Amino acid sequence: MEINTHTIISTYEEALASLRDEKAQEVLILRMMRLGQQIWDEKVIRQRWQRYSQQHPLSYVLWQRFADSCLTGLDFQYDDVQGLYLTRLGFLQAKRVQFAADWSHCDDEIQKRRQKSLENLMYASQVQTLLRFTLFLRDAGYIERGIATWQAVLELSFCYPSELGDSRRSNAGDFETILKSLEDFWENGAPRIGEEGACGWSSYSEDTGSSWMPRIDAVKPAQGASTTWSSWMGLEREASFLDAMPARYEDETHEEDNARIIMFSDIKRALFSSLDDDSTTLLNAFLTFCNLPSLGESHWKQDAATIKTQQDSQGNPFMQGHLLNKISGSSAKFSLNTITQSNTLQYKFTPESYLSPEDWFSPFSVLSDTKSNLAIQNFAFRVLAQL
């Protein structure tokens, strides 16, 4: 059996060397790797995925498989995986800047459309990579950094100051100038998107910095606690709700937790420029991070990139944070209606599904009642209200 497998893989490699079409090569690599995983050890599999993702740098699928192999390795290291995500985001941003510069000087309309299509594809890959990265941060215990990253990305995409001009995709120098302006806003202590009193980066002025009051986290004792244990548990739950949100230097945290203070330098490498004509992909990815159903096609336009983002978030085990949330919640009970508590984000949303009874399918059935998740969802609703 192993001899036959080696023979088939050799045939795949010969065919791969003769192909020139990128998409055909990707399909062949995926089939060959699926077969190779039966006979190769973990090290060889990861080296193969890394090699093919480097040979096809614009293929999100191959890079995703390489990232999955790093996440499942016995030698898993947080810093290594974080670097993997940040390097990918930086690479895609540099490529988008290059493509934008190329097609801006092109007079051929067909070539322009092709370049624009490639840039859209890279943007969708950026959004998907950002979603995976922030879910990774959340699952690794750095939920406040994941939220802060989304705050900065949403400010950059939806609260862009008009006085900076339309230069988000012109060149790397312009984007660095934009990030410097965003850094000034971030470090000045102004309320950020999703926070109470936030007006957005576009309304920011250094002259109003003194008018922003620091946030004070006050953990309230549980009401009606019958025992010391239940009282302590209530305090811990309330603290977890507060700890989910990032803090600023001026804020008074309940335990002076400096890890919650997110500097701009902590999130800068994850940021990228937006597309003026595509808000759906980014918003749906953000809602996926918040364990909320995506905005349906009746509200926003649907495109291939959006559908791909939704499908990957459902099919990839590293995007299924709600499964972990169910286990880590206050109750681990499973009823006979468990089948209706599955992730049903693929079906079309209707008023009936949003207002469904407890024993029927609902897009909200994947939500957990843990305090940290309630904090994320509260943050998400604030963001949507402020856009």
Side-chain angles (χ1 to χ4, degrees):
M1 178 65 181
E2 186 172 332
I3 296 177
N4 290 337
T5 304
H6 279 293
T7 303
I8 296 173
I9 289 176
S10 298
T11 305
Y12 272 126
E13 290 175 333
E14 292 176 5
L16 189 61
S18 63
L19 285 175
R20 294 294 175 264
D21 181 71
E22 287 277 333
K23 194 63 180 177
Q25 288 181 334
E26 180 182 288
V27 172
L28 201 60
I29 289 171
L30 292 173
R31 292 180 179 178
M32 180 178 64
M33 289 299 297
R34 183 169 57 188
L35 191 62
Q37 288 174 340
Q38 301 176 13
I39 58 173
W40 297 329
D41 60 26
E42 177 186 306
K43 183 178 180 181
V44 173
I45 292 172
R46 187 182 306 177
Q47 288 174 344
R48 288 264 186 164
W49 282 127
Q50 183 175 21
R51 182 205 310 171
Y52 293 132
S53 65
Q54 290 173 346
Q55 291 174 352
H56 304 271
L58 297 183
S59 171
Y60 173 77
V61 174
L62 295 180
W63 176 84
Q64 174 190 269
R65 298 300 176 85
F66 171 53
D68 290 350
S69 68
C70 293
L71 282 164
T72 54
L74 295 176
D75 56 347
F76 166 86
Q77 294 289 331
Y78 170 83
D79 290 335
D80 293 342
V81 177
Q82 175 184 242
L84 178 70
Y85 283 120
L86 294 176
T87 300
R88 180 66 179 178
L89 287 168
F91 166 78
L92 290 172
Q93 177 61 24
K95 276 292 184 183
R96 280 187 57 206
V97 169
Q98 177 186 332
F99 270 68
D102 290 344
W103 67 261
S104 63
H105 302 292
C106 180
D107 296 327
D108 187 343
E109 288 300 322
I110 296 178
Q111 184 65 14
K112 269 190 173 183
R113 285 196 294 269
R114 180 176 179 274
Q115 295 279 21
K116 177 64 175 175
S117 176
L118 286 173
E119 189 195 7
N120 290 344
L121 183 62
M122 284 187 286
Y123 175 71
S125 296
Q126 278 181 304
V127 172
Q128 187 71 353
T129 304
L130 176 72
L131 174 58
R132 286 194 53 148
F133 175 52
T134 51
L135 287 174
F136 168 71
L137 291 174
R138 188 184 71 182
D139 293 342
Y142 298 97
I143 186 173
E144 65 284 340
R145 187 179 170 193
I147 291 178
T149 302
W150 275 109
Q151 283 182 305
V153 169
L154 293 171
E155 291 279 2
L156 191 60
S157 300
F158 297 102
C159 304
Y160 183 77
S162 57
E163 59 266 23
L164 291 178
D166 188 20
S167 58
R168 277 174 281 186
R169 294 182 289 136
S170 299
N171 56 63
D174 288 340
F175 188 59
E176 282 298 318
T177 302
I178 292 167
L179 289 183
K180 182 63 176 68
S181 175
L182 181 60
E183 181 178 8
D184 293 339
F185 162 77
W186 188 272
E187 302 292 6
N188 200 269
R192 304 154 189 164
I193 190 169
E195 297 177 359
E196 188 174 353
C199 297
W201 177 29
S202 57
S203 302
Y204 163 74
S205 170
E206 291 184 1
D207 298 332
T208 61
S210 58
S211 64
W212 294 311
M213 300 298 293
R215 189 175 65 218
I216 301 176
D217 291 345
V219 179
K220 300 178 181 179
Q223 298 294 324
S226 58
T227 64
T228 303
W229 168 256
S230 59
S231 176
W232 173 84
M233 190 165 57
L235 288 173
E236 286 298 307
R237 286 177 177 171
E238 185 68 22
S240 69
F241 182 91
L242 297 172
D243 290 345
M245 295 301 295
R248 294 158 294 198
Y249 266 128
E250 300 82 1
D251 296 340
E252 297 181 18
T253 59
H254 65 95
E255 289 184 347
E256 297 184 359
D257 185 4
N258 291 331
R260 286 180 56 201
I261 300 175
I262 307 299
M263 307 296 294
F264 190 77
S265 57
D266 296 328
I267 59 175
K268 181 179 179 180
R269 290 180 61 192
L271 304 183
F272 52 86
S273 54
S274 63
L275 286 183
D276 299 332
D277 56 351
D278 185 3
S279 59
T280 312
T281 302
L282 187 65
L283 280 175
N284 280 334
F286 167 66
L287 292 173
T288 300
F289 169 77
C290 297
N291 272 346
L292 290 170
S294 61
L295 298 170
E297 58 185 350
S298 59
H299 305 288
W300 301 84
K301 67 172 186 175
Q302 288 277 28
D303 54 22
T306 303
I307 295 171
K308 177 67 178 70
T309 300
Q310 294 171 349
Q311 290 175 342
D312 186 75
S313 66
Q314 298 163 65
N316 193 300
F318 299 105
M319 311 281 281
Q320 299 294 309
H322 69 277
L323 298 177
L324 181 62
N325 294 332
K326 280 185 175 293
I327 297 172
S328 62
S330 58
S331 173
K333 296 179 181 178
F334 291 89
S335 67
L336 295 176
N337 298 323
T338 299
I339 188 172
T340 66
Q341 303 301 307
S342 58
N343 188 358
T344 52
L345 296 180
Q346 289 196 27
Y347 65 74
K348 185 175 181 179
F349 298 141
T350 64
E352 290 77 14
S353 65
Y354 279 113
L355 303 174
S356 62
E358 293 183 1
D359 58 349
W360 193 242
F361 294 96
S362 168
F364 299 102
S365 62
V366 299
L367 305 186
S368 170
D369 60 354
T370 58
K371 284 287 186 177
S372 59
N373 278 312
L374 291 175
I376 294 178
Q377 289 141 24
N378 180 56
F379 163 68
F381 293 135
R382 283 185 181 272
V383 167
L384 295 177
Q386 292 169 3
L387 289 181

